[in-house]
Amino acid sequence: MNPNEFLKHIAYDSVVFGFSGEKLKILVMKYKNTDYYALPGGFVGLEEDLNSAVRRGLKERTGLDNIFLEQFYTFGNVDRSKPEFMRAIMEANGGINESSWMLDRFISIAYYALINYDDVELTPDAISESCDWYDLDNLPELIFDHNEILEKALATLRSNLETKLMGVNLLSTMFTMKDLQKVYEAILGEKLHRGAFQRKILGMNLLKRHEKQFSGAAHKAPFLYSFEK
Amino acid sequence: MNPNEFLKHIAYDSVVFGFSGEKLKILVMKYKNTDYYALPGGFVGLEEDLNSAVRRGLKERTGLDNIFLEQFYTFGNVDRSKPEFMRAIMEANGGINESSWMLDRFISIAYYALINYDDVELTPDAISESCDWYDLDNLPELIFDHNEILEKALATLRSNLETKLMGVNLLSTMFTMKDLQKVYEAILGEKLHRGAFQRKILGMNLLKRHEKQFSGAAHKAPFLYSFEK
DNA sequence: TATTTATTGTCTCAAACTGTGACAATATTA
DNA sequence: TAATATTGTCACAGTTTGAGACAATAAATA
């Protein structure tokens, strides 16, 4: 990494949510030759828009464009930077070169993303051993203030969930009402009443109903929906 | 300003709301010897927490500690920085010295504050001619992307207004239900129904009711309230 | 002093919304 | 053909919300 390529003292971190059947998951990276786990993050090019930098990082790691992405908070305390950890990570990657700027203090702009679990092709970056899904209820300890960032992402997601039916971004283009309900239940962490849920969602007039499709299961087939507008 | 004192490329801007009788107002600064108006902003010390930097700036300009303050968005597009304007401002202040770092690109973390209009003692900073209240519906044109920042602040304030009865921060410690309703109406930009408003607010159980106080007006005297919890 | 006026605190009624269970419809299996 | 699991929808009760009504009351007025 060329120290003259990026804005100093500025980083971003992203909380990337996915949904697989029943559980909410997030993307976590593991740094090479360490036991340090972290949220996917990165730096902002000298002539690059902040949002573009985040999208670039997500594209590199997931292969996806046009991700549902929202900025939710900027973490700027002095004590959030831990040069000891950063040094250890860099040494585990072949020693500290010119990039000692990475040991400086960083302000981090945090984003959350909602993506379709099945669409991603995960690629760790140069200093990471892995970039993988972890169940939200079975996460490794994260370094820096990344646990706090995750908590705030989740709180923001919960409180914004109603707006624009954003939960649909965790599903593929066609889904059943039950699929969507599972997403809501996983995010909110509670069971919802089927009838009321359906009534509320349909009342938003944001979904398009398609032909039923026989699921092969021994019961009435559900409608399929897609998100419109 | 010493260029080695602050984090480069990082600034904050604050949208400071006040309420006077009927109207919502915000604080706007005017740069010396120019016609440029801007939101109060500033920089972050090398060893200073981001939130502390913003509180420091507000303290300097309003004299107030313990302000109700919330971060709401970080603006990071490349084209938000306008070196021409910055250069003009600096030249109007006695020329460009070593501080050419101020001509660089900046990412700005934006906050809004709610304060009691009557408590402030306004003090312009070194390069400003004035720091004053302006009616929200009668603002001068602001430089950079400050109009956009203001719009987003207002939108965030509107959508968060219910939480924690934050409107009380625009009033003095004791206020009537009518005072509070005026605040809500000014922020939301619509008339509210008196009975329903009172019922809703009292239902939150966040206000303490005090003795009535004869207002001198020719009608039943209202209760006074203060915000508890 | 009695009356008028403006505003307050509270209530009631209707309309809208929400939580809950119920029921018929239906795709597959037995 | 019957049994089973799940779906789409509805009915009902309980709750919340919008709107007007009414008595209480502080001061001005007659």
Side-chain angles (χ1 to χ4, degrees):
Chain A
M1 269 182 237
N2 186 335
N4 296 318
E5 236 178 291
F6 298 107
L7 293 169
K8 289 180 188 175
H9 302 294
I10 297 176
Y12 70 85
D13 286 297
S14 53
V15 181
V16 183
F17 291 100
F19 181 74
S20 166
E22 298 283 327
K23 289 193 161 183
L24 204 53
K25 295 165 179 280
I26 68 165
L27 280 186
V28 173
M29 331 247 327
K30 180 167 190 264
Y31 287 113
K32 275 182 187 162
N33 309 314
T34 70
D35 274 324
Y36 296 153
Y37 294 84
L39 295 174
F43 307 109
V44 184
L46 294 180
E47 299 293 333
E48 185 180 35
D49 286 347
L50 172 58
N51 290 333
S52 308
V54 182
R55 289 189 183 277
R56 174 175 52 80
L58 290 177
K59 165 84 175 174
E60 285 165 6
R61 281 150 176 148
T62 67
L64 297 181
D65 279 318
N66 279 101
I67 284 178
F68 178 92
L69 181 68
E70 293 216 340
Q71 188 199 295
F72 66 93
Y73 199 73
T74 294
F75 294 81
N77 279 358
V78 174
D79 65 10
R80 69 175 299 279
S81 300
K82 309 280 190 202
E84 330 83 74
F85 282 80
M86 212 60 218
R87 184 178 296 274
I89 289 167
M90 289 164 63
E91 279 173 353
N93 267 273
I96 300 184
N97 42 18
E98 39 162 7
S99 314
S100 64
W101 63 286
M102 285 182 64
L103 300 177
D104 290 343
R105 169 188 180 185
F106 275 90
I107 279 179
S108 178
I109 300 103
Y111 288 74
Y112 68 88
L114 303 182
I115 69 183
N116 180 356
Y117 180 86
D118 298 313
D119 285 354
V120 300
E121 192 147 330
L122 297 176
T123 313
D125 61 33
I127 61 171
S128 300
E129 185 174 300
S130 68
C131 173
D132 252 319
W133 292 113
Y134 287 79
D135 283 358
L136 205 55
D137 52 15
N138 187 28
L139 282 184
E141 185 73 13
L142 305 178
I143 59 170
F144 304 141
D145 54 355
H146 288 193
N147 284 299
E148 186 190 342
I149 294 178
L150 167 61
E151 284 309 314
K152 187 142 187 157
L154 197 52
T156 309
L157 174 57
R158 282 186 180 131
S159 83
N160 291 353
L161 191 54
E162 308 303 325
T163 61
K164 295 182 299 175
L165 257 189
M166 55 169 75
V168 298
N169 295 288
L170 292 164
L171 299 170
S172 49
T173 37
M174 300 284 265
F175 50 87
T176 67
M177 195 55 72
K178 178 160 216 166
D179 293 334
L180 190 57
Q181 187 176 340
K182 293 269 185 201
V183 166
Y184 271 67
E185 290 175 343
I187 292 174
L188 298 174
E190 59 181 335
K191 289 281 168 206
L192 301 175
H193 185 277
R194 193 175 57 90
F197 181 77
Q198 179 138 204
R199 182 175 53 198
K200 186 176 75 175
I201 299 295
L202 291 181
M204 293 179 177
N205 283 318
L206 295 173
L207 293 186
K208 180 168 179 190
R209 179 178 279 187
H210 298 267
E211 285 304 302
K212 288 187 179 185
Q213 182 176 286
F214 299 142
S215 60
H219 53 76
K220 190 172 175 180
F223 287 113
L224 289 178
Y225 295 91
S226 66
F227 180 66
E228 305 286 308
K229 283 171 200 173
Chain B
M1 268 184 236
N2 185 336
N4 296 317
E5 237 178 290
F6 299 106
L7 293 169
K8 289 180 189 176
H9 302 295
I10 297 176
Y12 70 84
D13 287 296
S14 53
V15 181
V16 182
F17 290 101
F19 181 73
S20 166
E22 299 283 326
K23 288 193 162 182
L24 204 55
K25 293 165 181 280
I26 69 165
L27 280 186
V28 173
M29 331 246 327
K30 180 167 190 262
Y31 287 113
K32 275 183 188 161
N33 309 315
T34 70
D35 275 323
Y36 295 152
Y37 295 84
L39 295 173
F43 307 109
V44 183
L46 294 180
E47 299 293 332
E48 184 180 35
D49 286 348
L50 172 59
N51 290 334
S52 309
V54 182
R55 289 190 183 278
R56 174 174 54 78
L58 289 178
K59 165 86 175 170
E60 286 165 4
R61 283 153 174 145
T62 66
L64 296 181
D65 279 319
N66 278 101
I67 283 179
F68 178 92
L69 180 68
E70 294 216 340
Q71 187 199 296
F72 66 94
Y73 198 73
T74 295
F75 294 81
N77 278 359
V78 174
D79 65 9
R80 69 175 300 279
S81 300
K82 309 280 189 201
E84 330 83 74
F85 281 81
M86 212 60 219
R87 182 177 295 274
I89 290 166
M90 290 164 63
E91 280 174 352
N93 268 274
I96 300 184
N97 40 20
E98 38 160 9
S99 313
S100 64
W101 63 286
M102 286 181 64
L103 300 178
D104 289 344
R105 171 189 177 183
F106 276 90
I107 278 180
S108 178
I109 301 102
Y111 288 74
Y112 68 88
L114 303 182
I115 70 182
N116 180 356
Y117 181 85
D118 298 314
D119 286 352
V120 300
E121 192 148 329
L122 297 176
T123 312
D125 61 32
I127 60 170
S128 299
E129 185 174 298
S130 68
C131 173
D132 253 318
W133 292 112
Y134 286 79
D135 283 0
L136 205 55
D137 52 14
N138 188 26
L139 283 184
E141 185 74 12
L142 304 178
I143 60 170
F144 304 141
D145 54 354
H146 288 193
N147 285 300
E148 187 190 343
I149 294 177
L150 167 61
E151 284 309 314
K152 188 141 186 156
L154 197 53
T156 309
L157 174 57
R158 281 185 181 134
S159 81
N160 292 353
L161 190 53
E162 308 303 324
T163 61
K164 295 182 298 177
L165 258 187
M166 55 169 74
V168 299
N169 296 289
L170 292 164
L171 298 170
S172 49
T173 37
M174 301 283 266
F175 50 87
T176 66
M177 195 54 73
K178 178 160 215 160
D179 292 335
L180 190 57
Q181 187 176 341
K182 293 268 185 203
V183 166
Y184 272 67
E185 290 176 342
I187 293 174
L188 297 174
E190 59 181 335
K191 290 281 170 207
L192 301 176
H193 185 277
R194 192 174 58 89
F197 180 78
Q198 180 138 204
R199 182 175 55 197
K200 186 177 75 175
I201 299 295
L202 291 180
M204 292 179 179
N205 284 318
L206 295 172
L207 293 186
K208 180 168 181 190
R209 177 178 280 186
H210 298 269
E211 284 304 302
K212 288 186 179 187
Q213 182 177 285
F214 299 143
S215 59
H219 53 77
K220 190 173 176 179
F223 287 114
L224 288 178
Y225 296 90
S226 65
F227 181 65
E228 305 287 309
K229 284 167 202 176

